Amino acid sequence: MCEKVTSALSELVNILTLEKIGDDLYLGVGSKNDGADATYGGHLLGQATKAAIETVESGKNIHSLHVYFLSGGIPGEAITYFVESLRDGRSFCSRRVVAMQKNKKLLELNASFCVKRVGLKFSVDAPEDFNSLPSPESLPRYKDLMLRQDPIPFREDWALEERGVDVRVVNAPWGSAGLSDRKGIRMWIRLDGKLKLDAATHAAILAYQSDESLADNVLTPFGLTWGSTEVFLVSLDHSMWFHDVIDLDSWHFVEQWPVYTGSERGVASAHVWNAKGNLVASFTQEALVRFNG
């Protein structure tokens, strides 16, 4: 099944492997070591995405999802996912997913799937410096980068934990190059090991990873992170578009940037390109931002 697999990647795949417990009803394992008291949003996002995908016939791939984070989950407690079929057409189908834990609604997700067809094509160009970016292998692994920080900008046990996705930071407040020209965070990502996974799992992993640092971008203009003691930051909603089939066995470049911060809310956006410079995904998130400095 696999060539080289880290225990962290195996654990991530386990997180995104749901147990079917009824018709359109799935159970996901609880989260752990999320860096905060509540469940990591990407954990819910990845599992809900996978639950929606499980109910769709082959031949239709996910192309968009829209999520509202409603309540903070309890780490370690299993999560139940209810999937509702909203539409099943010849070209498109839609699903609604509700995540529940102890009779509490944590998340609502709406996802759309479509048959792949050929049509007009245009996409945003890769960054101007794409061909001169440092290679992923020349950059430190995320854990090694965190160990160089004094102090570590996040809770130490979270910052130093392996997560199954190999992240190599190009631009960040905690990276040697600092912020990007757009005052955002940029990185290379790929699976931390080789697994023969289906496209559905790759899509779910990208959804899981998309919440990892996006909200940080609404704080970068102020020299803050979600780990700053004077900051309260939680995700409110998240939208994601899959422009092409995702294959995280190879490196992908993620560019994130802040769009707006004000009225105790912040919006950040991101694009994802594969190693050939083809745009494969985009996502945007709004977060609640409260500053008590």
Side-chain angles (χ1 to χ4, degrees):
M1 177 183 178
C2 60
E3 298 172 19
K4 177 185 177 184
V5 183
T6 63
S7 59
L9 178 55
S10 295
E11 184 174 348
L12 176 56
V13 173
N14 180 60
I15 287 171
L16 299 174
T17 302
L18 308 179
E19 178 187 357
K20 186 172 184 178
I21 57 176
D23 291 339
D24 296 333
L25 188 63
Y26 299 87
L27 189 67
V29 297
S31 64
K32 67 175 185 178
N33 195 21
D34 287 337
D37 294 334
T39 294
Y40 164 55
H43 185 104
L44 298 169
L45 181 56
Q47 288 186 337
T49 299
K50 190 65 181 302
I53 292 172
E54 291 285 349
T55 68
V56 176
E57 63 184 18
S58 61
K60 291 189 176 78
N61 296 320
I62 189 167
H63 72 87
S64 70
L65 60 84
H66 305 278
V67 174
Y68 279 97
F69 297 100
L70 303 176
S71 300
I74 303 170
E77 296 284 346
I79 305 157
T80 304
Y81 294 88
F82 300 83
V83 184
E84 179 184 0
S85 297
L86 301 178
R87 178 177 184 268
D88 279 294
R90 286 178 295 180
S91 297
F92 287 85
C93 65
S94 301
R95 296 292 185 267
R96 175 175 175 262
V97 182
V98 176
M100 298 286 296
Q101 189 182 65
K102 292 185 177 295
N103 297 318
K104 186 177 182 181
K105 189 180 291 187
L106 305 183
L107 167 148
E108 283 197 13
L109 174 147
N110 281 278
S112 183
F113 301 77
C114 68
V115 175
K116 186 172 183 178
R117 300 188 187 280
V118 178
L120 298 174
K121 188 164 185 178
F122 167 83
S123 66
V124 174
D125 291 334
E128 290 185 2
D129 62 345
F130 184 79
N131 291 325
S132 60
L133 289 169
S135 67
E137 290 83 1
S138 71
L139 298 166
R141 293 174 61 88
Y142 192 82
K143 178 179 178 180
D144 296 330
L145 177 62
M146 287 294 107
L147 286 170
R148 297 178 185 180
Q149 310 304 305
D150 185 19
I152 293 176
F154 308 108
R155 205 176 78 183
E156 185 170 317
D157 57 344
W158 179 90
L160 302 182
E161 183 181 53
E162 302 287 354
R163 289 177 186 78
V165 177
D166 188 355
V167 175
R168 308 294 180 103
V169 172
V170 177
N171 295 101
W174 44 89
S176 59
L179 294 175
S180 71
D181 291 343
R182 303 179 76 175
K183 300 185 183 301
I185 298 168
R186 305 195 302 173
M187 67 191 77
W188 290 103
I189 64 169
R190 74 172 177 186
L191 295 182
D192 195 9
K194 291 286 187 179
L195 271 176
K196 294 181 180 178
L197 300 174
D198 53 39
T201 302
H202 281 275
I205 289 174
L206 184 61
Y208 175 97
Q209 180 66 21
S210 69
D211 188 52
E212 190 268 338
S213 63
L214 186 56
D216 272 304
N217 290 268
V218 305
L219 296 173
T220 53
F222 311 100
L224 300 167
T225 74
W226 61 262
S228 301
T229 57
E230 63 270 48
V231 169
F232 177 76
L233 178 74
V234 294
S235 303
L236 293 173
D237 54 81
H238 190 103
S239 293
M240 191 165 185
W241 296 267
F242 299 85
H243 310 308
D244 206 341
V245 175
I246 306 300
D247 181 5
L248 289 173
D249 280 328
S250 60
W251 288 107
H252 283 61
F253 183 67
V254 183
E255 179 176 33
Q256 305 172 341
W257 65 92
V259 175
Y260 170 83
T261 304
S263 303
E264 291 195 331
R265 299 191 310 278
V267 174
S269 290
H271 289 322
V272 184
W273 290 271
N274 62 22
K276 296 179 180 178
N278 299 321
L279 185 70
V280 296
S282 302
F283 47 95
T284 295
Q285 185 175 95
E286 183 178 43
L288 173 66
V289 186
R290 288 179 176 155
F291 180 70
N292 298 309

